Amino acid sequence: MQDETNKGGGLIRGRFDEGLDDVMAKINASIGFDRRMASQDIDGSVAHVTMLNAQKIISVEDADAIKAGLTTIREEIASGRFTYSVELEDIHMNVEARLGELIGAAAGRLHTARSRNDQVATSFRLWVRDAHDRALELVRTLIEVLVEQAAQNAGTIMPGYTHLQSAQPVSFGHHLMAYVEMFGRDHGRLSDARTRMNESPLGAAALAGTSFPIDRDLTADLLDFARPMRNSLDAVSDRDFAIEYLSAAALCMTHLSRLAEEIVLWMSPQFGFITMSDRWTTGSSIMPQKRNPDAAELVRGKTGRVHGSLTGLLGVMKALPLTFSKDMQEDKEQTFDAADTLELCLKAMIGMLRDLRPKPEAMLAAAGSAHSTATDLADWLVRELGLPFREAHHITGRLVRLADEHGSDLAGLSLQDMHSVDARITDAVFTVLGVEDSVVSRRSYGGTSPECVAREAEQWRARIEEFRAG
Ligand code: ARG
């Protein structure tokens, strides 16, 4: 008999005489990255062997020996003593081969009524489920930090922008609460996806199910899946769960990137709205005065990677016939990279938001520029003089032009100046021209008044509690 190990992947090459070409071995192996699923692979095997024994498919002695061997392997991996072999291709065969070394022939019974196809589908699904859980917790923490900054800054006034031009004054807290809404939707998407993906592929075997009397409900239960997947072909060929995770991650990164971009703007000397401490900023190698928000820029930059992972996996899957094809091995690296990136960026954003301090005077000064209360003036003309809004808009436009000619803001015009445009205006108009008046007056549902912001912050605190309670 030939030395099995020289044939590459000795476990499954009974019909082959020659070993793999070096390039074939290189393109074929996934152990370089799928070792990250070692713990999930062992969890799947423990559930499977428990079920095999419960169904009397294997003896209790063999089952116990397999479980003890798997426990040893788990420890070897955790302590860095496990030797991975590229010849053994992937984590599944590395673990099984080591089990053989540890316990002998009984190891060969573990793979009864199972294929690597349902095995990898199970391991990867468990890994992606964990990634959902980590992201969900980080998103909750991010929301909490935003809510606390918002509550503290309900009355901090800044310019609200459209087209990046000062439009109407808003509460800085209200601005932050807009991101709470976005990340709240991300939380919803991740938790919906988690619910949908929480079904067990184990027991689909290669693709068609098995003639052994397995109990798929038991393995599903042991692995905390809600139920077994209903169709064996779908079970081994579905990667929707990774795609849904990546799409939720991609959109969450888009939100992080928008917030990162605002942090970059606010930190710039031209805006000067916030400061961040030494812990979250870097200097320049040549310009001693610089304090750069590199973490925010990197969050913005890393967004492209996660978007790339999503389109990458959509591309891998789009023309695959049922069921398993080796293409699907390409599902992992980009999913792992996206999860690492998302988690790092969420942590960086949490850190920056805890660190950043608004500069309320600078925000207020900017909020009062560029006739930002012009809409309040127009609204006053409608409310107090009964004018149609379009006419009020026109009159306000003329007053803005007059103020520009005088080099003043709207509040700097005299009543006499105003009368040159419309004689019906009274000096009560001056009560709506201040930026604080403007913000306080916007009490409509979802509006920017400090009162609304404080109420929203309170409600979100309760909602986060509910999220945590599940
Ligand atoms: N390494 C493979 C993967 O990552 C495991 C599944 C292999 N199955 C097979 N029939 N070749 O997808």
Side-chain angles (χ1 to χ4, degrees):
M1 196 175 161
Q2 275 207 6
D3 177 0
E4 294 283 312
T5 53
N6 285 341
K7 293 199 286 175
L11 284 178
I12 59 169
R13 288 180 68 81
R15 63 168 291 193
F16 299 87
D17 291 324
E18 282 190 273
L20 295 180
D21 184 273
D22 286 349
V23 175
M24 173 59 193
K26 191 165 179 184
I27 195 172
N28 198 40
S30 53
I31 187 61
F33 48 88
D34 68 13
R35 64 176 69 180
R36 288 187 65 172
M37 308 192 304
S39 154
Q40 289 81 2
D41 180 67
I42 293 171
D43 291 341
S45 291
V46 170
H48 184 65
V49 77
T50 303
M51 180 279 293
L52 289 177
N53 175 233
Q55 295 300 101
K56 306 207 177 347
I57 300 168
I58 69 169
S59 71
V60 67
E61 292 76 21
D62 286 342
D64 286 348
I66 291 170
K67 283 192 218 168
L70 290 171
T71 301
T72 304
I73 294 170
R74 202 192 280 282
E75 285 160 8
E76 288 177 349
I77 289 171
S79 64
R81 279 179 290 126
F82 190 90
T83 316
Y84 297 97
S85 140
V86 178
E87 286 69 46
L88 287 165
E89 199 181 313
D90 60 24
I91 186 63
H92 318 293
M93 294 207 291
N94 268 266
V95 169
E96 195 183 327
R98 178 69 184 136
L99 188 65
E101 287 171 12
L102 289 170
I103 69 165
R109 297 194 188 277
L110 169 60
H111 214 57
T112 314
R114 186 176 77 169
S115 151
R116 259 192 309 156
N117 295 348
D118 61 337
Q119 188 180 0
V120 69
T122 304
S123 309
F124 189 40
R125 201 173 272 259
L126 289 171
W127 196 95
V128 174
R129 191 177 68 183
D130 289 345
H132 278 81
D133 290 340
R134 290 192 302 272
L136 281 163
E137 182 52 34
L138 285 167
V139 170
R140 285 192 288 269
T141 304
L142 175 61
I143 292 174
E144 266 172 346
V145 174
L146 280 164
V147 166
E148 291 322 309
Q149 275 278 14
Q152 277 167 36
N153 288 289
T156 305
I157 291 169
M158 71 180 287
Y161 296 90
T162 62
H163 312 271
L164 197 56
Q165 296 187 25
S166 199
Q168 293 175 350
V170 296
S171 147
F172 181 49
H174 193 53
H175 194 113
L176 295 175
M177 290 302 290
Y179 285 97
V180 167
E181 294 294 325
M182 297 182 223
F183 293 119
R185 289 192 293 271
D186 291 328
H187 191 276
R189 265 181 287 274
L190 283 163
S191 80
D192 290 350
R194 191 202 189 282
T195 303
R196 202 163 19 257
M197 64 104 70
N198 198 29
E199 295 186 339
S200 174
L202 194 58
L207 73 163
T210 173
S211 57
F212 288 99
I214 60 170
D215 181 351
R216 294 192 59 207
D217 288 299
L218 177 57
T219 44
D221 204 39
L222 290 170
L223 294 168
D224 278 329
F225 286 119
R227 63 192 78 81
M229 293 180 77
R230 299 169 67 95
N231 181 299
S232 63
L233 305 177
D234 179 49
V236 293
S237 68
D238 171 44
R239 293 295 183 268
D240 289 2
F241 60 95
I243 294 173
E244 281 201 59
Y245 169 76
L246 290 173
S247 67
L251 187 46
C252 185
M253 285 299 300
T254 293
H255 297 149
L256 287 168
S257 181
R258 294 182 76 173
L259 180 52
E261 164 66 7
E262 302 217 270
I263 290 174
V264 171
L265 288 172
W266 296 338
M267 275 286 285
S268 70
Q270 287 74 13
F271 279 74
F273 286 179
I274 58 168
T275 55
M276 280 202 287
S277 75
D278 296 356
R279 286 159 55 90
W280 285 96
T281 46
T282 58
S284 155
S285 59
I286 179 172
M287 298 166 284
Q289 82 282 12
K290 294 289 290 273
R291 182 187 276 282
N292 298 325
D294 286 22
E297 292 166 47
L298 283 161
V299 167
R300 195 175 58 185
K302 284 175 186 291
T303 300
R305 294 168 73 124
V306 179
H307 291 185
S309 295
L310 170 61
T311 51
L313 187 52
L314 285 168
V316 168
M317 297 304 295
K318 78 167 183 45
L320 291 188
L322 299 186
T323 57
F324 182 87
S325 295
K326 196 65 173 251
D327 313 45
M328 287 161 71
Q329 185 166 286
E330 289 294 309
D331 56 5
K332 286 171 209 69
E333 279 168 293
Q334 38 206 346
T335 305
F336 295 162
D337 186 76
D340 291 343
T341 305
L342 175 67
E343 289 163 30
L344 180 61
C345 291
L346 284 166
K347 286 177 192 165
M349 190 53 82
I350 289 165
M352 284 189 284
L353 287 168
R354 284 196 173 124
D355 188 76
L356 73 78
R357 297 283 169 264
K359 291 161 74 179
E361 326 71 48
M363 286 186 178
L364 184 63
S369 69
H371 310 304
S372 66
T373 55
T375 316
D376 299 273
L377 172 51
D379 287 348
W380 184 88
L381 295 170
V382 170
R383 207 169 43 240
E384 302 301 324
L385 304 183
L387 302 184
F389 182 76
R390 281 291 160 232
E391 188 184 345
H393 185 284
H394 183 76
I395 292 169
T396 306
R398 292 182 58 200
L399 288 166
V400 163
R401 194 167 70 194
L402 191 63
D404 280 341
E405 281 161 15
H406 290 205
S408 82
D409 55 17
L410 287 168
L413 290 174
S414 67
L415 189 58
Q416 210 182 355
D417 294 332
M418 295 213 184
H419 282 168
S420 73
V421 173
D422 195 300
R424 291 168 292 183
I425 299 173
T426 70
D427 60 7
V429 77
F430 291 101
T431 62
V432 302
L433 297 181
V435 287
E436 274 155 270
D437 305 317
S438 165
V439 174
V440 169
S441 73
R442 292 191 148 69
R443 292 192 203 89
S444 58
Y445 181 76
T448 192
S449 77
E451 192 185 312
C452 292
V453 175
R455 190 169 353 115
E456 280 302 306
E458 204 42 59
Q459 290 186 1
W460 267 101
R461 285 188 186 115
R463 196 168 298 168
I464 297 162
E465 293 292 306
E466 285 164 27
F467 287 167
R468 287 230 156 85

